[in-house]
């Protein structure tokens, strides 16, 4: 399978050299693709019958790339432009992608820097949606754990920029999403009946535990499970029932740990989980990026109703063909059920997609 080229941070490659190289690649690809009329791109997509809606698709604004480079000396971020996304979408029958930032999001340099970074990235996302009508939506970033700045950005992003929802990371420093400090933010998101997309990040607790094994290999899926546990066992999910949560990567390791979740609910006599953990978990939505192989799909669909499963790719960190092929080859769903995952559930969750 052909993979997307990546830029690698290392001691041999300075941050300045990396940024220049990455931005040069973005610019050259974007410049070439920009010469293709948007109408022609839309016609090509229609001709191919593109129907999928990608709920796990990243965008990498230059301002965010700069911030990431300034904050870390290891890791990788593939080159990206809106035109590269559209090219990948057209190859894989994806009509619309709802984009979100790559980890670790915008909480990178204190309240004021994070607030400005969120605003810059959100305005970039809104312009991208306007420039490529019908092809993109976006989840707005907010500067959690600062609740007051987050409330201001929610108002601007959703009322002025018309974001499709809010994108959060699984953890912010030592706080998971069920932390009581986030309650004012959830009150507002609950009032708006907002969609909240949750993506894993590097957990502060667990960096480099196994030599030679990257954080993303184990900890990303595990951090999704930690934050799901935080939301349900803190009572946050029950107290704010109108928030529509979407979790990445099929819920991480959560489907495999259901028995342990149920046992804890019983042992604690949890007032928020009187009927066990499963009923609350079934209310959440889950997308299938990197969870599109039989083991993950079996576990997820055994627990979660088909109506709450969404299509996702993790582009540009993974090729979109991986998710397309995984779901296509999965023999335990019908073609009608695949259509439900590929688009119909997305339209029910976000009715504006019906017009695209």
């Amino acid at each position: 399978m052909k993979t997307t080229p990546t830029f690698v941070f290392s001691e041999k490659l300075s941050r300045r050299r990396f940024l220049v190289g990455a931005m040069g690649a973005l610019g050259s690809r974007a410049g070439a693709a920009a010469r293709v009329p948007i109408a022609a791109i839309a016609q090509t997509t229609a001709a191919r019958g593109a129907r999928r809606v990608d709920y796990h698709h990243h965008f990498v604004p230059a301002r965010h790339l700069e911030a990431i480079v300034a904050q870390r000396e290891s890791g990788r971020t593939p080159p990206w432009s809106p035109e590269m996304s559209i090219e990948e979408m057209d190859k894989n029958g994806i009509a619309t992608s709802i984009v979100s930032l790559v980890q670790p999001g915008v909480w990178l340099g204190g309240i004021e820097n994070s607030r400005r970074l969120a605003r810059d990235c959100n305005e970039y996302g809104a312009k991208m949606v306007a420039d490529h009508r019908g092809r993109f939506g976006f989840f707005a970033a907010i500067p959690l754990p600062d609740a007051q700045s987050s409330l201001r950005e929610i108002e601007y992003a959703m009322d002025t920029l018309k974001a499709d929802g809010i994108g959060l990371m699984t953890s912010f420093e030592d706080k998971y999403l069920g932390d009581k400090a986030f309650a004012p933010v959830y009150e507002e998101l609950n009032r708006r009946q907002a969609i909240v997309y949750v993506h894993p990040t590097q957990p502060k607790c667990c960096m480099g535990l196994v030599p030679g094994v990257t954080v993303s290999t184990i900890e990303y899926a595990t951090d999704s499970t930690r934050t799901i546990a935080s939301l349900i066992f803190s009572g946050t999910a029950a107290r704010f029932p109108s928030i529509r949560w979407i979790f990445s990567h099929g819920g991480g390791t959560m489907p495999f740990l259901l028995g342990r979740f149920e046992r804890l609910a019983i042992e604690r006599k949890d007032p928020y989980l009187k009927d066990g953990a499963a009923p609350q978990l079934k209310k959440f939505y889950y997308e299938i990026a990197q969870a599109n192989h039989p083991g993950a799909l079996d576990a997820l669909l055994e627990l979660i109703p088909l109506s709450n499963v969404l299509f996702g790719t993790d582009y540009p960190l993974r090729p979109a063909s991986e998710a397309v092929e995984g779901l296509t080859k999965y023999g335990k769903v019908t073609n009608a059920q695949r259509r439900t995952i590929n688009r119909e559930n997305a339209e029910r969750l976000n009715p504006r997609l019906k017009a695209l």
Side-chain angles (χ1 to χ4, degrees), residues 28-145:
S28 63
R29 288 297 299 272
R35 292 192 290 270
V36 179
I38 296 304
I41 294 174
Q43 290 169 3
T44 300
T45 303
R48 292 178 180 174
R51 294 290 296 163
R52 295 182 177 90
V53 176
D54 185 356
Y55 264 93
H56 188 159
H57 194 111
H58 294 297
F59 70 133
V60 190
R63 177 71 181 85
H64 194 234
L65 181 61
E66 291 172 6
I68 293 172
V69 172
Q71 286 288 322
R72 67 187 186 189
E73 295 292 344
S74 62
R76 62 184 184 179
T77 302
W80 173 87
S81 72
E83 291 75 20
M84 290 171 69
S85 279
I86 289 172
E87 180 181 351
E88 185 77 358
M89 291 158 62
D90 285 349
K91 288 178 182 177
N92 292 279
I94 298 168
T96 305
S97 292
I98 315 299
V99 299
S100 55
L101 293 175
V102 297
Q103 64 281 0
V106 298
W107 187 255
L108 296 172
I111 292 174
E112 195 59 31
N113 287 338
S114 299
R115 184 195 63 77
R116 284 197 299 267
L117 181 59
R119 177 63 55 90
D120 288 347
C121 292
N122 291 338
E123 290 183 338
Y124 182 98
K127 185 176 186 303
M128 187 174 74
V129 171
D131 287 347
H132 305 275
R133 292 193 180 278
R135 303 313 307 272
F136 296 109
F138 80 104
F139 290 121
I142 60 175
L144 275 181

Side-chain angles (χ1 to χ4, degrees), residues 62-341:
R63 177 71 181 85
H64 194 234
L65 181 61
E66 291 172 6
I68 293 172
V69 172
Q71 286 288 322
R72 67 187 186 189
E73 295 292 344
S74 62
R76 62 184 184 179
T77 302
W80 173 87
S81 72
E83 291 75 20
M84 290 171 69
S85 279
I86 289 172
E87 180 181 351
E88 185 77 358
M89 291 158 62
D90 285 349
K91 288 178 182 177
N92 292 279
I94 298 168
T96 305
S97 292
I98 315 299
V99 299
S100 55
L101 293 175
V102 297
Q103 64 281 0
V106 298
W107 187 255
L108 296 172
I111 292 174
E112 195 59 31
N113 287 338
S114 299
R115 184 195 63 77
R116 284 197 299 267
L117 181 59
R119 177 63 55 90
D120 288 347
C121 292
N122 291 338
E123 290 183 338
Y124 182 98
K127 185 176 186 303
M128 187 174 74
V129 171
D131 287 347
H132 305 275
R133 292 193 180 278
R135 303 313 307 272
F136 296 109
F138 80 104
F139 290 121
I142 60 175
L144 275 181
D146 179 49
Q148 292 307 310
S149 295
S150 294
L151 287 169
R152 288 193 294 271
E153 195 60 27
I154 289 169
E155 181 180 13
Y156 179 70
M158 300 198 74
D159 294 344
T160 301
L161 300 182
K162 306 302 181 183
D164 289 277
I166 300 299
L168 299 179
M169 296 293 142
T170 47
S171 54
F172 296 87
E173 297 179 343
D174 61 345
K175 290 181 171 60
Y176 283 86
L177 294 185
D179 195 285
K180 62 182 180 180
F182 302 153
V185 173
Y186 296 150
E187 287 174 4
E188 176 61 11
L189 293 174
N190 190 70
R191 183 186 71 81
R192 291 175 176 270
Q193 300 181 30
I195 299 172
V196 176
Y197 171 75
V198 180
H199 190 280
T201 190
Q202 298 91 335
K204 186 177 180 180
C205 67
C206 307
M207 302 289 285
L209 294 181
V210 182
V213 178
T214 62
V215 173
S216 63
T217 301
I218 296 175
E219 292 301 331
Y220 281 10
T222 305
D223 219 49
S224 289
T225 303
R226 292 187 187 104
T227 217
I228 291 170
S230 174
L231 285 167
I232 68 170
F233 287 109
S234 67
T236 299
R239 289 196 302 273
F240 303 106
S242 294
I243 297 176
R244 293 171 291 168
W245 299 92
I246 304 172
F247 294 98
S248 302
H249 308 131
T253 60
M254 180 277 298
F256 303 94
L257 297 177
L258 174 63
R260 294 178 181 272
F261 277 44
E262 296 285 35
R263 183 177 181 86
L264 180 58
I266 293 170
E267 289 177 346
R268 287 177 36 160
K269 297 182 173 58
D270 196 306
Y272 296 108
L273 303 172
K274 293 179 180 179
D275 298 319
Q280 181 61 67
L281 297 171
K282 291 176 187 291
K283 296 177 182 178
F284 299 149
Y285 292 83
Y286 305 84
E287 57 81 19
I288 64 168
Q290 298 197 48
N292 41 63
H293 54 88
L297 289 171
D298 282 354
L300 182 64
L301 292 173
E302 182 68 23
L303 170 62
I304 303 303
L306 190 77
S307 60
N308 287 41
V309 179
L310 303 166
F311 179 79
T313 68
D314 213 345
Y315 183 80
L317 297 171
R318 303 291 276 235
S321 58
E322 180 179 275
V324 172
E325 292 172 6
L327 184 59
T328 300
K329 293 178 180 178
Y330 184 62
K332 296 184 180 180
V333 293
T334 66
N335 286 334
Q337 290 171 324
R338 288 189 188 89
R339 288 193 294 271
T340 297
I341 294 171

